[in-house]
C-alpha cells in the first residue's frame, strides 16, 4: 500500500470494516472535545511520555475517581 488513501476503502469499495470486538468489545466510547491548543499540548506530553492519549486520559480519570472514592 503506497497511497495513504488506500486504507480508506476496502477492496470491494464499501469502506473500511474494522472490527475491534475481540480487543475492545467490553469497552465504551466517550467523545471529548477540547481546544486545539490544549489538544496539542496533551499530544506533545503523550509523545514525550511515549503513551497513547487514551491511556493518559483514562489514567487521569481513574486517579481522580480513586481520590473521590468513587
Amino acid at each position: 500500500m503506497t497511497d495513504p488513501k488506500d486504507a480508506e476503502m476496502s477492496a470491494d469499495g464499501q469502506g473500511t470494516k474494522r472490527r475491534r470486538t475481540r480487543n475492545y468489545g467490553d469497552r465504551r466510547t466517550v467523545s471529548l472535545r477540547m481546544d486545539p491548543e490544549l489538544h496539542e499540548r496533551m499530544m506533545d506530553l503523550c509523545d514525550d511520555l511515549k503513551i497513547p492519549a487514551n491511556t493518559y486520559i483514562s489514567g487521569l480519570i481513574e486517579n481522580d475517581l480513586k481520590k473521590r472514592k468513587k
Side-chain angles (χ1 to χ4, degrees), residues 48-64:
D48 290 346
L49 297 173
K50 296 186 181 350
I51 61 170
N54 187 67
T55 302
Y56 175 69
I57 293 169
S58 294
L60 291 175
I61 293 169
E62 200 170 310
N63 288 333
D64 185 63

Side-chain angles (χ1 to χ4, degrees), residues 19-30 54:
R19 302 244 193 300
R20 293 185 164 205
T21 54
R22 281 184 297 186
N23 296 334
Y24 303 106
D26 62 331
R27 297 188 182 181
R28 302 296 179 258
T29 302
V30 174
N54 187 67

Side-chain angles (χ1 to χ4, degrees), residues 5-50:
K5 292 184 179 181
D6 287 348
E8 293 176 6
M9 297 297 283
S10 64
D12 61 359
Q14 294 188 14
T16 59
K17 295 182 179 179
R18 292 179 68 196
R19 302 244 193 300
R20 293 185 164 205
T21 54
R22 281 184 297 186
N23 296 334
Y24 303 106
D26 62 331
R27 297 188 182 181
R28 302 296 179 258
T29 302
V30 174
S31 176
L32 178 64
R33 300 185 197 291
M34 63 177 74
D35 292 329
E37 181 183 317
L38 178 60
H39 181 267
E40 186 175 340
R41 289 172 46 213
M42 180 191 69
M43 294 309 296
D44 286 345
L45 177 63
C46 289
D47 286 346
D48 290 346
L49 297 173
K50 296 186 181 350

